[in-house]
Amino acid sequence: MVEVEHAVMASVLRRAEKTADVLLAGVLAGLFSSFAGRELACFQTDCVALKDERSRFVLAPPSRLERDAWEGEEERISFETAIERLKQARG
């Protein structure tokens, strides 16, 4: 998990209908993939542009994150729900 207090895109937009830091999520995925020595995906759960206190991201192997399925849901996924899904996916 990564928390960012002053995410650039969310700070610029200030209001959005969905999470706004797609570019930052990609940078975080690449950076932490390099540190971990394996591919990681990044999914944003909280966003300043959605009136959250800070932007939060979940990092996990792509097979566990199921990012496409999560983004297709009508309701926004909370950080807590994302963590629970990752725990369940681990088995």
Side-chain angles (χ1 to χ4, degrees), residues 3-12 21 24 48 53-55:
E3 288 187 7
V4 178
E5 288 194 29
H6 302 287
V8 176
M9 288 305 294
S11 297
V12 169
D21 296 302
L24 181 54
V48 174
E53 248 181 73
R54 63 187 54 91
S55 295

Side-chain angles (χ1 to χ4, degrees), residues 41-42 52 86:
C42 185
D52 294 320
L86 286 171

Side-chain angles (χ1 to χ4, degrees), residues 16-68:
E17 293 180 20
K18 61 181 185 175
T19 57
D21 296 302
V22 177
L23 182 60
L24 181 54
V27 169
L28 291 171
L31 182 68
F32 282 93
S33 292
S34 179
F35 292 152
R38 65 187 282 191
E39 183 182 2
L40 296 174
C42 185
F43 182 81
Q44 185 174 12
T45 59
D46 298 0
C47 181
V48 174
L50 293 171
K51 304 295 183 212
D52 294 320
E53 248 181 73
R54 63 187 54 91
S55 295
R56 295 202 296 184
F57 302 83
V58 174
L59 291 138
S63 61
R64 290 194 47 220
L65 192 55
E66 302 173 22
R67 182 175 167 211
D68 292 338

